[in-house]
Amino acid sequence: MKIGVWKPHKYVGSVKIYYENVKIYLQEWGVDIIEFGINDKLPNNVDFYWDPTCTDGKSPNKKFYATPKPIIATLHGAASFSIKEASAGKNKIKYWLKMAKRKWLWIRFPKKNLSIITVSKYAEIEIKNHLPLKNVPFQPIYHGFNNTVFYADNAIPRAFLLHVSAYQKKKNVENIIEAYKNISKEKKVPLVLVVPNFPPCEPIDGIEIIRVKKSPDEIAALMRKAIAFVFPSFHESFGMPLIEAMACGCPIITSNITACPEIVDNAAILVNPNEINEIKNALLDIINNPILRADLSQKSIVRAANFSWEKTAREHLTFFNKMNHLA
């Protein structure tokens, strides 16, 4: 099997992790991957083309418009269509034009030989709700994680609550802080927020805000020491930090909406991300109940075992073979 793969000048960080890990296994299994960029011609000696980089409702590269060969696109989600933050105030026209352009590009895109990989069942539903792709074949395939970095060590004592994200409003860091502030001082444990680019603010008692990016090894070390991983996002198409925290045996508090419940299954406390009191009560449950913590920790490890990059790559190969056979 030969695949022509679109390679952008610059990857979104999580997309690069996804592609590079899947690529390693595909090549080990004998798949010939021919990458091409903006200045390259579309390779002709391939069975089909794959664009693994379609984020936030963007369509595949325009180079694919004229080819009669099958096209597979990994569409990582459509958050900008679901979250209307950008439509507020003076940005409303700019936001509308941006979303209208993305829809128009998908309307124009030749869909006869197109199929879509998504990162979750929720992402498939979201994409179909917002983009003209209802009659296109879809295949949800979950991400994996690096199990040589993210693993449990029960000998390490757990001492604080933890949140990790790149700062965006949808990560709901402000509500985590408000919920924590509402806990009485005698019941608190420290809260560590690893949020690069979080805006400056006054010091908050009990909270350490780390505004610099940490390496995967540093993040994993924090996850192994955390009483709970607090991740009540307003939106996730997948939520890779969830499986990384679960692999470290960390109890999870996350949202009851978007892809979060799908990814954690029964290995978490689910909360309404808009309800500060729900987040506070979940924090208290974790802090006060060691039996609950132990139960969630074990469930996290079991749930994380369902994810691996090898499994992700194997499911890609199965889907590639299926779509190539139908072409």
Side-chain angles (χ1 to χ4, degrees):
M1 180 188 295
K2 289 187 177 181
I3 308 174
V5 180
W6 164 246
K7 185 175 183 179
H9 178 66
K10 185 178 181 180
Y11 287 96
V12 175
S14 59
V15 172
K16 184 175 183 180
I17 292 170
Y18 152 71
Y19 170 60
E20 292 294 341
N21 278 281
V22 172
K23 174 184 171 182
I24 288 169
Y25 284 102
L26 292 178
Q27 290 180 321
E28 284 183 2
W29 299 331
V31 176
D32 191 0
I33 290 177
I34 302 172
E35 297 176 341
F36 63 97
I38 190 69
N39 297 318
D40 301 319
K41 291 183 179 180
L42 203 65
N44 290 319
N45 58 333
V46 298
D47 297 304
F48 60 90
Y49 300 103
W50 176 33
D51 185 346
T53 70
C54 302
T55 57
D56 205 10
K58 294 179 183 177
S59 63
N61 190 273
K62 293 178 182 178
K63 286 178 179 284
F64 294 135
Y65 275 40
T67 180
K69 293 185 178 183
I71 301 161
I72 297 175
T74 301
L75 195 42
H76 295 263
S80 288
F81 291 94
S82 298
I83 303 173
K84 300 300 189 287
E85 293 169 0
S87 66
K90 65 182 180 180
N91 292 323
K92 188 172 183 179
I93 294 176
K94 183 179 179 181
Y95 167 84
W96 185 88
L97 290 172
K98 181 180 178 182
M99 296 303 103
K101 180 180 179 181
R102 289 186 183 178
K103 284 190 176 182
W104 174 243
L105 288 173
W106 275 114
I107 290 170
R108 289 186 58 214
F109 195 88
K111 292 179 275 293
K112 181 180 178 182
N113 293 320
L114 175 68
S115 52
I116 301 289
I117 293 171
T118 64
V119 297
S120 64
K121 295 173 184 175
Y122 166 78
E124 177 182 350
I125 294 168
E126 177 185 59
I127 291 161
K128 287 180 176 178
N129 283 341
H130 294 289
L131 297 173
L133 295 168
K134 289 183 174 61
N135 296 320
V136 174
F138 271 74
Q139 181 64 54
I141 300 177
Y142 293 146
H143 287 331
F145 67 96
N146 187 340
N147 60 8
T148 65
V149 174
F150 297 94
Y151 56 86
D153 186 344
N154 292 328
I156 298 174
R158 298 184 179 271
F160 50 82
L161 303 164
L162 177 67
H163 170 85
V164 179
S165 67
Y167 182 64
Q168 302 171 67
K169 286 291 185 181
K170 73 174 188 175
K171 300 301 184 180
N172 204 14
V173 180
E174 288 81 2
N175 278 358
I176 296 172
I177 292 172
E178 288 304 310
Y180 181 83
K181 286 164 67 175
N182 288 342
I183 297 174
S184 60
K185 188 172 182 178
E186 62 273 11
K187 293 184 178 180
K188 284 182 178 177
V189 298
L191 169 62
V192 177
L193 304 172
V194 182
V195 189
N197 301 318
F198 190 75
C201 62
E202 293 295 321
I204 305 167
D205 186 43
I207 299 180
E208 179 185 2
I209 302 177
I210 300 172
R211 293 180 170 86
V212 295
K213 188 175 181 180
K214 294 288 186 180
S215 70
D217 288 292
E218 290 171 320
I219 294 298
L222 288 170
M223 288 175 169
R224 282 188 282 273
K225 296 176 184 177
I227 290 172
F229 186 68
V230 189
F231 201 71
S233 300
F234 291 122
H235 181 279
E236 294 291 339
S237 296
F238 182 79
M240 194 177 292
L242 289 171
I243 59 171
E244 292 171 342
M246 288 191 295
C248 293
C250 194
I252 305 291
I253 297 171
T254 194
S255 297
N256 61 3
I257 59 172
T258 68
C260 298
E262 179 183 343
I263 301 308
V264 298
D265 196 35
N266 69 339
I269 298 175
L270 301 180
V271 298
N272 182 335
N274 293 289
E275 295 293 333
I276 291 172
N277 204 47
E278 278 194 35
I279 300 171
K280 182 195 85 170
N281 289 337
L283 294 175
L284 284 171
D285 286 343
I286 285 287
I287 292 168
N288 295 329
N289 192 335
I291 295 175
L292 174 64
R293 293 200 302 270
D295 180 58
L296 287 176
S297 177
Q298 184 58 37
K299 286 179 177 177
S300 288
I301 294 169
V302 171
R303 178 59 178 163
N306 289 278
F307 303 88
S308 73
W309 285 123
E310 182 177 2
K311 182 179 180 181
T312 302
R314 182 68 67 185
E315 291 181 8
H316 276 70
L317 184 59
T318 298
F319 189 62
F320 289 164
N321 279 322
K322 177 182 177 182
M323 292 299 102
N324 195 34
H325 176 71
L326 292 176

